[in-house]
Amino acid sequence: MIKVKKIISGSLEENCYAVYDSESLRAAIIDPGEDGKKVIFEIEKDKLKLELLINTHGHYDHVLSDDQIRFEFKIPLAMYKYEAQILAGAYGSGSGSIGFTVNVREPEILLEDNQEVKLSFTTFKVMHTPGHTKGSICLLFDGFLITGDTLFAGTIGRTDFDGGSYE
């Protein structure tokens, strides 16, 4: 059975999600955020076996601990093809506004709209949902959707950042 665990990460209280199979404990981690130590602790506490790291978009509050997670679990990063270049830039990632630059290595996997991604325990569909950023994506699993910042609680995500668009 597929389960979802939410982990609140970082000063902006970004939602990180572990999607996993309750029997095999095979898992994917989505948007680990700023607090890599906390995310690693939660993964290890639950004995999850990570296969993939996914970013729904490239803002710093979603990607800051990407390389820490990749190194710790020796897994690849997947991100939408239009969003990958945002990782190395302070302006694009939004990190310049808080006084530091985020440098995350490029993703090993570039995702496409409508792509089906097969993991050992599940399959999900990539849905390109520009608005929050030009390369924002949602991930459609069987029975649930991970939206990143395309949606906020009770409303749409912010569209006033660089690369965002209300339309």
Side-chain angles (χ1 to χ4, degrees):
M1 173 180 248
I2 301 299
K3 302 253 184 184
V4 180
K5 177 178 183 166
K6 180 170 75 170
I7 305 165
I8 305 298
S9 179
S11 61
L12 295 179
E13 298 183 333
E14 180 269 338
N15 292 323
C16 166
Y17 296 99
V19 176
Y20 65 97
D21 176 72
S22 60
E23 291 181 21
S24 70
L25 300 179
R26 295 283 181 193
I29 196 82
I30 303 163
D31 292 337
E34 298 177 67
D35 193 349
K37 286 182 182 179
K38 180 179 182 181
V39 172
I40 290 168
F41 173 81
E42 292 294 329
I43 291 166
E44 290 177 342
K45 179 180 78 169
D46 293 341
K47 298 179 174 44
L48 300 179
K49 301 168 190 159
L50 291 189
E51 294 181 3
L52 184 63
L53 167 60
I54 309 159
N55 288 141
T56 60
H57 66 288
H59 284 159
Y60 78 91
D61 60 318
H62 288 249
V63 306
L64 195 60
S65 63
D66 278 2
D67 284 347
Q68 184 180 8
I69 302 292
R70 289 156 96 178
F71 176 77
E72 183 72 25
F73 297 102
K74 296 173 182 45
I75 57 171
L77 169 63
M79 181 178 238
Y80 194 69
K81 62 182 179 180
Y82 296 159
E83 199 73 0
Q85 73 280 2
I86 203 172
L87 292 178
Y91 183 65
S93 69
S95 62
S97 64
I98 58 169
F100 62 87
T101 301
V102 173
N103 273 316
V104 175
R105 289 181 299 123
E106 291 183 18
E108 289 83 4
I109 301 167
L110 296 176
L111 301 171
E112 303 270 343
D113 189 31
N114 292 313
Q115 179 180 353
E116 286 201 356
V117 178
K118 294 181 189 291
L119 299 173
S120 69
F121 63 97
T122 192
T123 300
F124 66 89
K125 182 178 176 181
V126 176
M127 300 171 63
H128 182 217
T129 53
H132 186 64
T133 67
K134 69 179 182 176
S136 291
I137 57 173
C138 293
L139 307 172
L140 180 61
F141 291 84
D142 186 23
F144 63 95
L145 181 72
I146 303 286
T147 65
D149 283 354
T150 297
L151 296 176
F152 285 174
T155 188
I156 63 169
R158 290 183 63 175
T159 61
D160 58 329
F161 296 124
D162 181 48
S165 170
Y166 183 80
E167 291 75 33

